[in-house]
Amino acid sequence: MEQYAIKGGNPLVGDVEIAGAKNAALPILAAATMTDETVYIENIPDVSDIKMILDTMRGIGVAVRHTERHRVMLNAGNINNLVVEDEAMKKIRGSYYLLGAFLGKYKHAEVVLPGGCDIGCRAIDQHLKGFRALGAEVYIEHGLVKARAERLQGSHIYMDKVSVGATINVMIAATLAEGTTIIENSAKEPHVVDVANFLNSCGANIKGAGTDVIRIKGVQKLHGTEYAIIPDQIEAGTFMFAAAVTKGDVTVKNVIPKHMESITAKLLEIGCEVEEADDCLRVVASKPPMRTQVKTLPYPGFPTDMQPLITVALALAKGTSIVTESIYENRFRYVDQLTRMGADIKVEGGDTAIIDGVGQYTGASISVPDLRAGAALVIAALSAEGFSTIENINYIERGYEDFHLKLRNLGAQIELVETEKDYQKFRLKTG
Ligand code: EPZ
Protein backbone atom coordinates (compact mmCIF):
# COMPACT_ATOMS: atom_id res chain seq x y z
CA MET A 1 0.00 0.00 0.00
CA GLU A 2 1.28 3.45 -0.89
CA GLN A 3 2.01 5.83 1.96
CA TYR A 4 3.50 9.28 2.31
CA ALA A 5 6.90 9.44 3.95
CA ILE A 6 7.52 12.88 5.39
CA LYS A 7 10.41 14.61 7.06
CA GLY A 8 9.06 17.67 8.81
CA GLY A 9 10.66 20.98 9.58
CA ASN A 10 10.83 22.87 6.28
CA PRO A 11 8.72 26.04 6.07
CA LEU A 12 6.65 25.85 2.87
CA VAL A 13 7.60 28.64 0.50
CA GLY A 14 6.50 29.49 -3.06
CA ASP A 15 3.50 29.53 -5.39
CA VAL A 16 0.86 26.88 -5.85
CA GLU A 17 -1.74 26.66 -8.61
CA ILE A 18 -5.20 25.73 -7.31
CA ALA A 19 -7.31 23.20 -9.26
CA GLY A 20 -11.00 23.39 -10.09
CA ALA A 21 -13.48 22.76 -7.27
CA LYS A 22 -14.30 19.06 -6.85
CA ASN A 23 -17.59 19.84 -5.12
CA ALA A 24 -18.69 22.05 -8.02
CA ALA A 25 -17.43 19.63 -10.67
CA LEU A 26 -19.41 16.63 -9.34
CA PRO A 27 -22.87 18.26 -9.70
CA ILE A 28 -21.92 20.04 -12.92
CA LEU A 29 -20.87 16.75 -14.54
CA ALA A 30 -24.13 15.15 -13.42
CA ALA A 31 -26.15 18.14 -14.65
CA ALA A 32 -24.38 17.95 -18.01
CA THR A 33 -26.35 14.75 -18.68
CA MET A 34 -29.56 16.82 -18.87
CA THR A 35 -28.90 17.92 -22.43
CA ASP A 36 -28.49 15.72 -25.50
CA GLU A 37 -26.10 18.28 -26.93
CA THR A 38 -22.34 18.30 -26.34
CA VAL A 39 -20.97 20.07 -23.29
CA TYR A 40 -17.34 21.11 -22.73
CA ILE A 41 -16.21 21.61 -19.16
CA GLU A 42 -12.90 23.18 -18.23
CA ASN A 43 -10.93 23.29 -14.98
CA ILE A 44 -12.05 19.79 -14.01
CA PRO A 45 -9.77 18.58 -11.20
CA ASP A 46 -7.88 15.34 -11.82
CA VAL A 47 -8.92 13.59 -8.58
CA SER A 48 -10.31 10.14 -7.94
CA ASP A 49 -13.90 11.17 -7.03
CA ILE A 50 -14.17 12.81 -10.46
CA LYS A 51 -12.64 9.78 -12.23
CA MET A 52 -15.23 7.58 -10.51
CA ILE A 53 -18.25 9.62 -11.57
CA LEU A 54 -16.91 9.90 -15.14
CA ASP A 55 -16.41 6.11 -15.31
CA THR A 56 -19.95 5.56 -14.09
CA MET A 57 -21.27 7.99 -16.66
CA ARG A 58 -19.38 6.12 -19.41
CA GLY A 59 -20.93 2.90 -18.12
CA ILE A 60 -24.48 4.15 -18.76
CA GLY A 61 -23.76 5.39 -22.26
CA VAL A 62 -22.50 8.96 -21.80
CA ALA A 63 -19.71 9.79 -24.25
CA VAL A 64 -16.87 11.23 -22.17
CA ARG A 65 -13.56 12.38 -23.57
CA HIS A 66 -10.73 14.26 -21.89
CA THR A 67 -9.60 16.73 -24.56
CA GLU A 68 -6.93 17.91 -22.11
CA ARG A 69 -6.04 16.91 -18.56
CA HIS A 70 -8.55 19.39 -17.11
CA ARG A 71 -11.04 19.66 -19.98
CA VAL A 72 -13.80 17.17 -20.63
CA MET A 73 -16.20 16.78 -23.52
CA LEU A 74 -19.49 15.08 -22.66
CA ASN A 75 -22.44 13.96 -24.68
CA ALA A 76 -25.37 12.29 -22.95
CA GLY A 77 -27.56 11.87 -26.03
CA ASN A 78 -27.34 8.08 -25.82
CA ILE A 79 -27.83 7.26 -22.14
CA ASN A 80 -29.01 3.65 -21.99
CA ASN A 81 -29.59 3.09 -18.27
CA LEU A 82 -31.17 5.20 -15.55
CA VAL A 83 -30.23 2.74 -12.82
CA VAL A 84 -26.87 3.59 -11.27
CA GLU A 85 -25.82 0.89 -8.88
CA ASP A 86 -22.11 0.30 -9.39
CA GLU A 87 -19.87 -0.13 -6.35
CA ALA A 88 -17.89 3.03 -7.03
CA MET A 89 -20.97 5.21 -6.68
CA LYS A 90 -21.58 3.84 -3.18
CA LYS A 91 -18.26 5.36 -2.17
CA ILE A 92 -18.78 8.96 -3.19
CA ARG A 93 -21.25 11.59 -2.10
CA GLY A 94 -21.62 13.35 -5.43
CA SER A 95 -23.31 10.31 -7.02
CA TYR A 96 -26.62 11.60 -5.66
CA TYR A 97 -26.56 14.46 -8.16
CA LEU A 98 -27.39 11.92 -10.87
CA LEU A 99 -30.75 11.54 -9.12
CA GLY A 100 -31.65 15.19 -9.61
CA ALA A 101 -30.33 15.22 -13.16
CA PHE A 102 -32.13 12.05 -14.34
CA LEU A 103 -35.33 12.88 -12.49
CA GLY A 104 -35.34 16.33 -14.14
CA LYS A 105 -34.70 15.02 -17.62
CA TYR A 106 -36.19 11.53 -17.71
CA LYS A 107 -38.64 11.76 -14.75
CA HIS A 108 -37.05 8.54 -13.52
CA ALA A 109 -33.87 7.79 -11.60
CA GLU A 110 -32.49 4.98 -9.48
CA VAL A 111 -29.17 5.61 -7.79
CA VAL A 112 -27.39 3.77 -4.97
CA LEU A 113 -27.44 5.51 -1.62
CA PRO A 114 -24.40 7.77 -1.55
CA GLY A 115 -21.29 7.21 0.56
CA GLY A 116 -18.50 9.73 1.05
CA CYS A 117 -16.35 10.48 4.07
CA ASP A 118 -17.47 9.03 7.40
CA ILE A 119 -17.94 12.32 9.24
CA GLY A 120 -21.50 11.97 10.49
CA CYS A 121 -24.82 10.39 9.59
CA ARG A 122 -25.23 12.55 6.44
CA ALA A 123 -29.00 12.26 5.94
CA ILE A 124 -30.55 12.90 2.52
CA ASP A 125 -34.10 13.61 3.72
CA GLN A 126 -34.04 17.18 2.37
CA HIS A 127 -33.15 15.95 -1.13
CA LEU A 128 -36.06 13.50 -1.01
CA LYS A 129 -38.42 16.12 0.43
CA GLY A 130 -37.53 18.46 -2.45
CA PHE A 131 -38.07 15.80 -5.13
CA ARG A 132 -41.43 14.87 -3.56
CA ALA A 133 -42.48 18.53 -3.50
CA LEU A 134 -41.83 18.58 -7.26
CA GLY A 135 -44.31 15.71 -7.63
CA ALA A 136 -42.02 12.68 -7.68
CA GLU A 137 -42.70 9.44 -5.90
CA VAL A 138 -39.48 8.71 -4.00
CA TYR A 139 -38.55 5.67 -1.95
CA ILE A 140 -35.54 3.63 -0.90
CA GLU A 141 -35.43 -0.04 -1.86
CA HIS A 142 -32.55 -2.56 -1.86
CA GLY A 143 -30.05 0.24 -1.20
CA LEU A 144 -31.23 2.33 -4.14
CA VAL A 145 -32.97 5.69 -4.01
CA LYS A 146 -35.75 5.45 -6.59
CA ALA A 147 -37.57 8.50 -7.91
CA ARG A 148 -40.27 8.61 -10.53
CA ALA A 149 -42.79 11.18 -11.76
CA GLU A 150 -45.36 11.51 -14.52
CA ARG A 151 -44.40 15.17 -14.70
CA LEU A 152 -42.46 17.50 -12.42
CA GLN A 153 -44.33 20.55 -11.21
CA GLY A 154 -42.55 23.63 -9.75
CA SER A 155 -43.13 24.09 -6.04
CA HIS A 156 -42.28 26.18 -2.99
CA ILE A 157 -39.75 24.28 -0.88
CA TYR A 158 -38.40 25.27 2.51
CA MET A 159 -35.20 23.42 3.45
CA ASP A 160 -35.34 22.45 7.14
CA LYS A 161 -31.56 22.33 7.19
CA VAL A 162 -29.09 24.37 5.14
CA SER A 163 -27.73 21.70 2.83
CA VAL A 164 -25.35 22.17 -0.08
CA GLY A 165 -26.27 18.83 -1.62
CA ALA A 166 -30.05 19.18 -1.25
CA THR A 167 -30.06 22.75 -2.57
CA ILE A 168 -28.07 21.75 -5.65
CA ASN A 169 -29.94 18.50 -6.29
CA VAL A 170 -33.40 20.06 -6.11
CA MET A 171 -32.23 23.03 -8.19
CA ILE A 172 -30.96 20.64 -10.87
CA ALA A 173 -34.23 18.67 -11.02
CA ALA A 174 -36.40 21.83 -10.95
CA THR A 175 -34.59 23.24 -13.98
CA LEU A 176 -36.69 21.00 -16.24
CA ALA A 177 -39.92 21.08 -14.15
CA GLU A 178 -43.06 22.86 -15.29
CA GLY A 179 -43.59 26.26 -13.68
CA THR A 180 -41.56 27.99 -10.98
CA THR A 181 -39.76 26.46 -8.02
CA ILE A 182 -38.69 28.52 -5.05
CA ILE A 183 -36.10 27.02 -2.67
CA GLU A 184 -35.97 28.81 0.67
CA ASN A 185 -33.21 28.49 3.26
CA SER A 186 -30.92 27.34 0.49
CA ALA A 187 -27.17 26.91 0.86
CA LYS A 188 -25.07 29.85 -0.41
CA GLU A 189 -21.73 28.14 -1.06
CA PRO A 190 -19.77 29.27 -4.13
CA HIS A 191 -20.35 25.87 -5.74
CA VAL A 192 -24.14 26.32 -5.50
CA VAL A 193 -23.68 29.50 -7.56
CA ASP A 194 -21.34 27.70 -9.95
CA VAL A 195 -23.88 24.96 -10.67
CA ALA A 196 -26.60 27.60 -11.24
CA ASN A 197 -24.29 29.50 -13.61
CA PHE A 198 -23.51 26.30 -15.49
CA LEU A 199 -27.21 25.41 -15.84
CA ASN A 200 -28.03 28.97 -16.94
CA SER A 201 -25.33 28.70 -19.59
CA CYS A 202 -27.24 25.63 -20.86
CA GLY A 203 -30.48 27.64 -21.10
CA ALA A 204 -31.90 27.23 -17.57
CA ASN A 205 -33.59 30.14 -15.80
CA ILE A 206 -32.23 30.26 -12.24
CA LYS A 207 -32.05 33.41 -10.14
CA GLY A 208 -30.89 34.07 -6.60
CA ALA A 209 -28.18 31.39 -6.28
CA GLY A 210 -25.78 32.63 -3.59
CA THR A 211 -28.67 34.02 -1.52
CA ASP A 212 -30.98 31.97 0.68
CA VAL A 213 -33.87 32.09 -1.80
CA ILE A 214 -33.38 30.52 -5.23
CA ARG A 215 -36.02 30.89 -7.95
CA ILE A 216 -36.04 28.44 -10.82
CA LYS A 217 -38.36 28.93 -13.78
CA GLY A 218 -38.57 25.56 -15.46
CA VAL A 219 -37.55 25.34 -19.12
CA GLN A 220 -38.40 22.58 -21.60
CA LYS A 221 -34.92 21.76 -22.72
CA LEU A 222 -31.25 22.49 -22.07
CA HIS A 223 -28.59 22.94 -24.73
CA GLY A 224 -24.84 22.41 -25.01
CA THR A 225 -22.32 24.84 -23.55
CA GLU A 226 -18.69 25.52 -22.70
CA TYR A 227 -18.08 26.21 -19.05
CA ALA A 228 -15.11 26.61 -16.66
CA ILE A 229 -15.44 25.42 -13.06
CA ILE A 230 -14.52 27.78 -10.20
CA PRO A 231 -11.26 27.26 -8.26
CA ASP A 232 -11.39 24.96 -5.25
CA GLN A 233 -11.91 27.06 -2.13
CA ILE A 234 -10.96 24.20 0.19
CA GLU A 235 -7.78 23.24 -1.66
CA ALA A 236 -6.76 26.91 -1.56
CA GLY A 237 -7.56 27.12 2.16
CA THR A 238 -5.52 23.98 2.77
CA PHE A 239 -2.38 25.51 1.28
CA MET A 240 -3.01 28.80 3.10
CA PHE A 241 -3.10 26.93 6.39
CA ALA A 242 -0.03 24.95 5.30
CA ALA A 243 1.82 28.29 5.30
CA ALA A 244 0.46 29.13 8.76
CA VAL A 245 1.38 25.76 10.28
CA THR A 246 4.90 25.47 8.79
CA LYS A 247 5.73 29.19 9.34
CA GLY A 248 6.01 29.56 5.59
CA ASP A 249 5.21 32.00 2.81
CA VAL A 250 2.78 30.57 0.24
CA THR A 251 0.94 32.25 -2.62
CA VAL A 252 -2.17 30.39 -3.79
CA LYS A 253 -2.86 31.21 -7.44
CA ASN A 254 -6.03 30.91 -9.51
CA VAL A 255 -8.36 31.60 -6.57
CA ILE A 256 -11.35 33.90 -6.02
CA PRO A 257 -10.35 35.88 -2.90
CA LYS A 258 -14.01 36.69 -2.10
CA HIS A 259 -14.68 32.95 -1.59
CA MET A 260 -11.84 32.81 0.91
CA GLU A 261 -12.98 35.59 3.26
CA SER A 262 -13.79 33.52 6.36
CA ILE A 263 -10.51 31.61 5.98
CA THR A 264 -8.49 34.79 5.45
CA ALA A 265 -10.16 36.37 8.51
CA LYS A 266 -9.11 33.47 10.75
CA LEU A 267 -5.56 33.46 9.39
CA LEU A 268 -5.27 37.16 10.22
CA GLU A 269 -6.69 36.47 13.66
CA ILE A 270 -4.03 33.86 14.41
CA GLY A 271 -1.28 36.26 13.40
CA CYS A 272 -0.55 35.56 9.71
CA GLU A 273 -0.15 38.27 7.12
CA VAL A 274 -2.43 37.86 4.11
CA GLU A 275 -1.94 39.86 0.90
CA GLU A 276 -4.66 39.86 -1.72
CA ALA A 277 -4.40 40.39 -5.49
CA ASP A 278 -6.94 39.77 -8.29
CA ASP A 279 -6.72 36.00 -8.39
CA CYS A 280 -4.16 35.10 -5.76
CA LEU A 281 -3.58 35.28 -2.02
CA ARG A 282 -0.23 35.27 -0.23
CA VAL A 283 0.01 34.01 3.33
CA VAL A 284 3.12 34.77 5.35
CA ALA A 285 3.57 33.29 8.81
CA SER A 286 6.67 34.52 10.55
CA LYS A 287 5.70 33.45 14.07
CA PRO A 288 3.76 30.61 15.73
CA PRO A 289 -0.04 30.82 15.44
CA MET A 290 -2.00 32.63 18.16
CA ARG A 291 -4.92 31.08 20.00
CA THR A 292 -8.53 31.73 18.96
CA GLN A 293 -12.03 30.26 18.83
CA VAL A 294 -13.89 29.13 15.76
CA LYS A 295 -17.24 27.56 14.93
CA THR A 296 -17.96 25.93 11.59
CA LEU A 297 -21.02 27.26 9.78
CA PRO A 298 -22.61 27.19 6.33
CA TYR A 299 -21.11 29.72 3.87
CA PRO A 300 -20.17 32.53 4.39
CA GLY A 301 -19.19 31.09 7.78
CA PHE A 302 -15.99 29.15 8.41
CA PRO A 303 -16.27 25.90 6.36
CA THR A 304 -16.53 22.55 8.10
CA ASP A 305 -14.08 21.20 5.50
CA MET A 306 -11.42 23.55 6.92
CA GLN A 307 -12.05 22.52 10.53
CA PRO A 308 -9.23 19.92 10.77
CA LEU A 309 -6.81 22.43 9.21
CA ILE A 310 -7.46 25.18 11.72
CA THR A 311 -7.33 22.65 14.56
CA VAL A 312 -3.87 21.56 13.38
CA ALA A 313 -2.77 25.23 13.47
CA LEU A 314 -4.33 25.99 16.87
CA ALA A 315 -2.80 22.90 18.47
CA LEU A 316 0.52 24.73 18.02
CA ALA A 317 -0.73 28.05 19.47
CA LYS A 318 0.14 29.25 22.94
CA GLY A 319 -2.87 29.01 25.27
CA THR A 320 -6.27 27.37 24.93
CA SER A 321 -8.33 27.45 21.73
CA ILE A 322 -11.81 26.12 21.13
CA VAL A 323 -13.10 24.68 17.85
CA THR A 324 -16.81 23.93 17.56
CA GLU A 325 -18.11 21.75 14.73
CA SER A 326 -21.73 22.61 13.98
CA ILE A 327 -22.28 20.82 10.66
CA TYR A 328 -21.27 17.19 11.25
CA GLU A 329 -21.50 15.16 14.43
CA ASN A 330 -18.44 12.99 13.84
CA ARG A 331 -15.72 15.20 12.42
CA PHE A 332 -13.06 14.98 15.11
CA ARG A 333 -12.04 11.37 14.42
CA TYR A 334 -8.57 12.54 13.39
CA VAL A 335 -7.81 13.98 16.82
CA ASP A 336 -6.41 10.71 18.16
CA GLN A 337 -3.97 10.65 15.22
CA LEU A 338 -2.90 14.23 15.92
CA THR A 339 -2.38 13.24 19.55
CA ARG A 340 0.19 10.72 18.33
CA MET A 341 2.17 13.71 17.09
CA GLY A 342 1.96 15.32 20.53
CA ALA A 343 -1.19 17.48 20.28
CA ASP A 344 -3.13 18.12 23.50
CA ILE A 345 -6.82 18.12 22.51
CA LYS A 346 -9.94 17.00 24.34
CA VAL A 347 -13.15 16.50 22.40
CA GLU A 348 -16.26 17.19 24.47
CA GLY A 349 -19.81 16.30 23.51
CA GLY A 350 -18.60 15.18 20.07
CA ASP A 351 -18.72 18.73 18.69
CA THR A 352 -16.21 20.78 20.69
CA ALA A 353 -12.44 20.48 20.71
CA ILE A 354 -10.59 22.11 23.58
CA ILE A 355 -7.05 22.60 22.45
CA ASP A 356 -4.04 23.37 24.60
CA GLY A 357 -1.23 24.46 22.34
CA VAL A 358 1.96 22.39 22.45
CA GLY A 359 4.36 24.50 20.40
CA GLN A 360 5.75 21.63 18.31
CA TYR A 361 4.61 18.32 16.82
CA THR A 362 6.82 15.26 16.66
CA GLY A 363 6.72 12.85 13.70
CA ALA A 364 4.68 9.64 14.05
CA SER A 365 2.95 6.86 12.06
CA ILE A 366 -0.46 8.20 11.15
CA SER A 367 -3.56 6.74 9.54
CA VAL A 368 -5.93 9.03 7.62
CA PRO A 369 -9.63 8.80 8.62
CA ASP A 370 -11.14 11.05 5.90
CA LEU A 371 -10.28 13.45 3.07
CA ARG A 372 -9.86 16.84 4.75
CA ALA A 373 -8.50 15.43 8.00
CA GLY A 374 -5.96 13.58 5.83
CA ALA A 375 -4.68 16.82 4.31
CA ALA A 376 -4.53 18.40 7.77
CA LEU A 377 -2.51 15.49 9.20
CA VAL A 378 -0.03 15.74 6.32
CA ILE A 379 0.43 19.45 7.04
CA ALA A 380 0.95 18.68 10.73
CA ALA A 381 3.61 16.11 9.80
CA LEU A 382 5.33 18.67 7.56
CA SER A 383 5.77 20.96 10.54
CA ALA A 384 6.75 18.17 12.94
CA GLU A 385 10.22 17.41 14.19
CA GLY A 386 11.44 14.18 12.56
CA PHE A 387 9.87 11.56 10.31
CA SER A 388 6.24 10.53 9.80
CA THR A 389 4.44 8.01 7.67
CA ILE A 390 0.87 8.62 6.57
CA GLU A 391 -1.28 5.69 5.46
CA ASN A 392 -4.75 5.50 3.84
CA ILE A 393 -3.77 8.32 1.49
CA ASN A 394 -6.41 7.21 -1.01
CA TYR A 395 -8.76 9.47 0.96
CA ILE A 396 -6.56 12.46 0.16
CA GLU A 397 -6.37 11.53 -3.53
CA ARG A 398 -10.16 11.70 -3.71
CA GLY A 399 -10.09 15.47 -3.46
CA TYR A 400 -6.57 16.86 -3.89
CA GLU A 401 -4.83 16.81 -7.24
CA ASP A 402 -1.08 16.02 -7.08
CA PHE A 403 -1.11 16.84 -3.38
CA HIS A 404 2.37 15.63 -2.50
CA LEU A 405 3.88 17.05 -5.69
CA LYS A 406 2.42 20.49 -5.01
CA LEU A 407 3.75 20.32 -1.44
CA ARG A 408 7.16 19.20 -2.68
CA ASN A 409 7.26 22.19 -5.04
CA LEU A 410 6.87 24.36 -1.97
CA GLY A 411 9.89 22.72 -0.35
CA ALA A 412 8.24 19.89 1.57
CA GLN A 413 10.22 16.69 2.09
CA ILE A 414 7.49 14.23 1.14
CA GLU A 415 7.55 11.10 -1.00
CA LEU A 416 5.18 8.33 -2.03
CA VAL A 417 6.63 5.05 -0.75
CA GLU A 418 5.35 1.52 -1.11
CA THR A 419 7.74 -0.67 0.85
CA GLU A 420 9.83 -0.48 4.02
CA LYS A 421 12.88 -0.39 1.74
CA ASP A 422 11.53 2.73 -0.06
CA TYR A 423 10.94 4.35 3.31
CA GLN A 424 14.46 3.61 4.53
CA LYS A 425 15.82 5.05 1.27
CA PHE A 426 13.79 8.22 1.89
CA ARG A 427 15.20 8.47 5.42
CA LEU A 428 18.75 8.06 4.18
CA LYS A 429 18.22 10.65 1.45
CA THR A 430 16.65 13.25 3.72
CA GLY A 431 18.43 12.16 6.93
C1 EPZ B 1 -21.01 18.83 0.83
O1 EPZ B 1 -21.56 17.67 1.43
C2 EPZ B 1 -19.57 18.50 0.52
N1 EPZ B 1 -19.52 17.31 -0.34
C3 EPZ B 1 -18.81 18.24 1.82
O2 EPZ B 1 -17.44 18.12 1.48
C4 EPZ B 1 -18.95 19.44 2.74
O3 EPZ B 1 -18.37 19.11 3.99
C5 EPZ B 1 -20.43 19.77 2.95
O4 EPZ B 1 -21.08 19.96 1.67
C6 EPZ B 1 -20.68 21.01 3.79
O5 EPZ B 1 -20.09 22.12 3.18
C7 EPZ B 1 -19.79 17.40 -1.62
O6 EPZ B 1 -20.09 18.48 -2.15
C8 EPZ B 1 -19.66 16.18 -2.44
P1 EPZ B 1 -24.71 19.14 3.30
P2 EPZ B 1 -23.14 17.53 1.56
O7 EPZ B 1 -25.88 18.53 2.61
O8 EPZ B 1 -23.78 18.22 0.41
C9 EPZ B 1 -27.32 17.59 7.01
C10 EPZ B 1 -15.39 17.04 1.19
O9 EPZ B 1 -14.46 16.76 2.00
N2 EPZ B 1 -28.30 17.14 6.01
O10 EPZ B 1 -24.49 20.60 3.17
O11 EPZ B 1 -23.44 16.10 1.77
C11 EPZ B 1 -26.02 16.80 6.95
O12 EPZ B 1 -26.11 15.60 7.71
C12 EPZ B 1 -16.82 16.82 1.63
O13 EPZ B 1 -15.19 17.46 0.05
C13 EPZ B 1 -29.54 16.67 6.43
O14 EPZ B 1 -29.82 16.60 7.63
O15 EPZ B 1 -23.38 18.37 2.88
C14 EPZ B 1 -25.05 17.79 7.55
O16 EPZ B 1 -25.14 17.77 8.94
C15 EPZ B 1 -16.91 16.24 3.00
N3 EPZ B 1 -30.43 16.26 5.48
C16 EPZ B 1 -25.58 19.15 7.04
O17 EPZ B 1 -26.95 18.92 6.70
C17 EPZ B 1 -30.15 16.34 4.15
O18 EPZ B 1 -30.99 15.94 3.34
C18 EPZ B 1 -24.87 19.73 5.85
O19 EPZ B 1 -24.78 18.75 4.83
C19 EPZ B 1 -28.89 16.82 3.73
C20 EPZ B 1 -27.98 17.24 4.69
Side-chain angles (χ1 to χ4, degrees), residues 391-409:
E391 59 177 42
N392 283 341
I393 58 171
N394 55 312
Y395 282 113
I396 299 174
E397 289 165 352
R398 293 178 62 159
Y400 290 90
E401 179 179 307
D402 295 341
F403 192 49
H404 75 288
L405 298 178
K406 289 185 181 182
L407 288 167
R408 206 189 288 161
N409 261 340

Side-chain angles (χ1 to χ4, degrees), residues 24-35 37-42 74 171-172 175 191-204 206 222-229:
L26 288 166
I28 286 175
L29 289 170
T33 63
M34 295 172 86
T35 168
E37 296 179 18
T38 300
V39 170
Y40 294 88
I41 305 173
E42 284 174 27
L74 289 157
M171 181 172 81
I172 290 175
T175 295
H191 35 297
V192 175
V193 180
D194 208 32
V195 181
N197 287 343
F198 166 75
L199 286 165
N200 284 341
S201 79
C202 298
I206 303 173
L222 295 178
H223 54 70
T225 190
E226 280 195 39
Y227 191 80
I229 304 233

Side-chain angles (χ1 to χ4, degrees), residues 23 27 93 96-97 114 122-131 157-172 183-193 195 210-212 214 297-299 304 326-328:
N23 290 344
R93 199 80 201 146
Y96 57 27
Y97 293 124
R122 309 193 75 178
I124 57 162
D125 56 306
Q126 298 304 304
H127 302 239
L128 308 191
K129 170 180 157 168
F131 296 151
I157 300 158
Y158 179 85
M159 292 286 172
D160 300 312
K161 184 129 196 186
V162 179
S163 159
V164 176
T167 301
I168 292 178
N169 225 346
V170 175
M171 181 172 81
I172 290 175
I183 308 177
E184 281 199 71
N185 200 27
S186 33
K188 296 182 277 208
E189 268 69 1
H191 35 297
V192 175
V193 180
V195 181
T211 75
D212 50 16
I214 302 181
L297 288 168
Y299 188 83
T304 171
S326 83
I327 309 292
Y328 292 111

